[in-house]
Amino acid sequence: MTDIRRPDDMARINSPALAQAFIEEQISAIRAQVGDKKVLLALSGGVDSSVVAALLIKAIGQNLVCVHVNHGLLRKGEPEQVIRVFRDEMKANLIYVDATDRFLDKLAGVSDPETKRKIIGGEFIEVFAEEARKLDGIEFLAQGTIWPDILESEAGIKAHHNAGGLPEDLNFELVEPVRILFKDEVRVVGKELGLPDNMVYRQPFPGPGLGVRCPGAITRDRLEAVRESDAILREEFEKNGLAGKVWQYFTVVPDFKSTGVKDGKRTFDWPCIIRAINTTDVMEVTVEHLPDELIDHLVSRIIAEVPGINRVLYDFTPKPPATVEYE
Ligand code: XMP
């Protein structure tokens, strides 16, 4: 199943009927591949792994074992949503691992961006592998590989490391039910499978999560300021009809302080930077200009509601020269 390719003449899945046909086809293919064996899936809550989970739940029910690792760098409400949608509503066999302390302890004092990424990636594999070893009789690993991953890895643009990284004793056969789909098709299929819109149309979110938006050495209080300000930004974008329109938007809380004044007293706190961008390929990015009233409202909410912030800044820099993320 792992060398299946997208047929050249395959119609773009852009309607509920085509999505339904794809779902039926995949359910048969999954059942034929795995029979009554168990399948393991790292469920991040991102679009691709969520759609894979929903497909496998339909195909094999309780024989799918989902593992949701909370590395402490997820956005506000994300782990709760994964549990609600998959365990409570879809009745999935879901193992939730809160590894926040483990990740944050390892990251304490580490300021180099690449080292931070390596620690987060490496620790993720370790936590997942530990959970996998606790389970008996699992022969398959499901992955949310999509067609652009295959094309990019064949073109040598990006190492496709979905599969990579697991220790050698964990030698699973891969199940990749959305492997021949483009991202827009994955969303149509996800919608047809009944996943909520804020999961299906979710903005891109980097694997290292809020860790790259808390530049330098991560501290719990500054990370919390990133998480809370991000939640306010997302809420306001949803209220103002920008959530489905702007490609990616988030906040960053850099590791420096400036003076301010609150209730007649001097403060010495962090700034919060808002970034909102549009793009098609993420190679070149333009900045979304927000209405003045919305900026004013965001400034007052963030200052009033997020401890440790005394200034709000807006990033007007396109890519190039700036990257989307701060590290
Ligand atoms: P940059 O900052 O390189 O970001 O302009 C381009 C896009 O990639 C996302 N990004 C990542 N995604 N792991 C990911 O899965 C990462 O380490 C990572 N770094 C950046 C970023 O959010 C943007 O959409």
Side-chain angles (χ1 to χ4, degrees):
M1 187 154 183
T2 52
D3 52 3
I4 288 173
R5 303 191 63 82
R6 182 182 177 98
D8 289 339
D9 58 353
M10 180 173 154
R12 197 83 168 198
I13 298 175
N14 56 9
S15 68
L18 287 173
Q20 201 51 49
F22 177 83
I23 292 166
E24 299 301 329
E25 236 172 65
Q26 284 309 315
I27 288 175
S28 308
I30 291 164
R31 287 181 181 154
Q33 186 189 3
V34 309
D36 60 2
K37 301 274 171 32
K38 290 200 159 141
V39 180
L40 187 64
L41 169 72
L43 177 59
S44 67
V47 186
D48 304 333
S49 68
S50 296
V51 171
V52 168
L55 268 172
L56 278 146
I57 291 164
K58 266 194 179 276
I60 60 168
Q62 294 297 301
N63 276 349
L64 171 70
V65 184
C66 302
V67 178
H68 179 54
V69 177
N70 179 357
H71 53 23
L73 305 165
L74 297 172
R75 288 174 293 190
K76 189 172 180 175
E78 274 185 332
E80 292 82 359
Q81 186 185 31
V82 169
I83 292 169
R84 192 176 61 247
V85 169
F86 291 99
R87 183 185 282 166
D88 302 346
E89 292 168 18
M90 295 195 172
K91 311 293 176 209
N93 187 353
L94 173 73
I95 298 169
Y96 170 63
V97 188
D98 184 352
T100 302
D101 287 340
R102 204 169 144 166
F103 278 81
L104 296 187
D105 288 350
K106 275 229 154 154
L107 287 163
V110 180
S111 57
D112 176 63
E114 288 315 306
T115 313
K116 284 168 70 179
R117 271 195 169 72
K118 277 202 192 107
I119 290 174
I120 297 165
E123 199 62 17
F124 189 91
I125 286 168
E126 263 189 39
V127 173
F128 185 70
E130 278 171 24
E131 292 304 317
R133 286 197 191 97
K134 286 185 202 160
L135 301 161
D136 271 341
I138 303 230
E139 290 179 26
F140 296 89
L141 178 74
Q143 292 196 144
T145 312
I146 62 172
W147 191 235
D149 295 333
I150 310 279
L151 296 180
E152 285 183 350
S153 83
E154 284 175 356
I157 297 169
K158 191 160 78 180
H160 167 47
H161 45 72
N162 263 356
L166 276 183
E168 279 185 5
D169 64 302
L170 295 171
N171 191 15
F172 300 116
E173 182 178 325
L174 293 181
V175 181
E176 298 181 306
V178 296
R179 157 187 179 100
I180 61 169
L181 299 189
F182 287 103
K183 193 83 175 189
D184 51 293
E185 298 178 302
V186 179
R187 296 191 206 277
V188 180
V189 169
K191 181 112 183 101
E192 192 59 22
L193 285 164
L195 293 174
D197 278 4
N198 66 351
M199 214 168 228
V200 170
Y201 299 107
R202 199 173 107 121
Q203 54 167 322
F205 186 60
L210 301 181
V212 293
R213 298 171 183 172
C214 192
I218 298 169
T219 57
R220 287 174 193 245
D221 50 0
R222 199 156 52 89
L223 180 62
E224 219 34 49
V226 179
R227 196 178 341 256
E228 289 300 322
S229 54
D230 172 78
I232 293 172
L233 186 72
R234 286 191 289 139
E235 193 185 316
E236 290 300 329
F237 266 46
E238 265 152 40
K239 266 195 219 153
N240 288 276
L242 293 167
K245 192 179 147 255
V246 180
W247 201 81
Q248 196 172 12
Y249 44 94
F250 55 87
T251 61
V252 177
V253 179
D255 191 11
F256 71 85
K257 291 186 171 179
S258 68
T259 51
V261 55
K262 190 176 184 186
D263 304 327
K265 290 205 185 82
R266 181 183 183 276
T267 61
F268 192 53
D269 280 330
W270 303 298
C272 168
I273 303 169
I274 298 175
R275 186 137 175 82
I277 56 100
N278 290 304
T279 186
T280 47
D281 59 4
V282 220
M283 300 300 288
E284 292 190 2
V285 157
T286 57
V287 173
E288 172 82 13
H289 288 230
L290 300 184
D292 287 350
E293 316 80 71
L294 178 55
I295 291 270
D296 290 345
H297 185 57
L298 283 166
V299 173
S300 13
R301 272 201 72 186
I302 291 171
I303 298 286
E305 296 174 38
V306 185
I309 301 290
N310 68 354
R311 235 172 246 276
V312 178
L313 314 175
Y314 198 79
D315 186 343
F316 283 105
T317 326
K319 173 183 177 179
T323 50
V324 175
E325 304 289 349
Y326 273 52
E327 16 178 75

